[in-house]
Amino acid sequence: MNNRTREWWTGFFFIVPATILFIAFVYYPFIQSIFYSFTEWDSIRPAKYIGLDNYTFLLEDSKMINAAKNTLLITIFGLAIQNPLSLLLAVLLNRSFRTRAFLRTAFYLPVVVSLVVTSIVWGSILQYDGLLNGLLDKIGLAEWGRDWLGNSHTVFPTIIALTQWQGLGYSAVIYLAGLQSIPQELYEAAKIDGASARRRFFHVTLPLLMPAITIVVFLTIVGGLKLFDIPYVMTGGGPGSSSYTLTLAIYNAAFRENTYGYAIAAGIVLMIFIMIVTLIQLRITRRREVEI
């Protein structure tokens, strides 16, 4: 056996265990879940084949449709509000001033804290007799006080605001890393050419920041479409279905209503939707990336 053949067999035997585990715990369950999505299955009795009924019912299920609308709204808010705000925050934190290190830590801190802990703390603050209404009462705005998470008109905007607050620091850190990778010589050359601060931002910073923008937009889309923790801990999707998200609706369909086949069908549709959206996003943003 020559060296080339020996190296091939060595590599083969290194890969085989990981491949077997991957097939057993990823591919096999995934293929099996596709089968169950075409069945009526409660995890106790044998699965009964029902064709496309689960997928058809997705289009008629008002809870799932409402959850899809809420999920899309959270994702759009993430792209339209959180994304520009985190870029602005990164630009400000990239400047030199005395409290810069403290502010960077303060804005990143919500990312380090568990979402479950964050949800419990904010849930306590936003109760009718919580800290927020107490503060409003002290400054003479008692009429503004309300049960922020128990009112169907305020619960979803409140959850959107919390998701934006929680993700702001994470996106800003990625943008900050991108800003610090841009060579200062390019800014100095632009200044010598007479470029204003606005022109330097749009013609130097933004094009060279596209790799970071690609990552942040990708993570914002995936994070928004998969949001589960905050609405699950704070409201359980209520009141009614006003704060339902798709992942929460899928969880309830599986573990509370025992309609596993239907939940799997919804999960597969969500996975395909995320794949399509992120592939389109990556194709658009990567085309605009500029190498130094």
Side-chain angles (χ1 to χ4, degrees), residues 60-81:
E60 303 167 0
D61 186 350
S62 59
K63 280 187 178 179
M64 205 62 80
I65 293 169
N66 193 39
K69 288 178 183 173
N70 287 344
T71 304
L72 285 175
L73 264 178
I74 288 172
T75 309
I76 291 168
F77 264 87
L79 293 171
I81 306 295

Side-chain angles (χ1 to χ4, degrees), residues 206-211 213-214 280-291:
L206 214 52
L208 294 175
L209 204 58
M210 277 311 295
I213 293 173
T214 299
I280 293 171
Q281 175 260 314
L282 289 172
R283 193 173 177 83
I284 293 171
T285 52
R286 279 188 172 169
R287 278 183 182 174
R288 289 165 171 75
E289 290 183 7
V290 178
E291 291 186 7

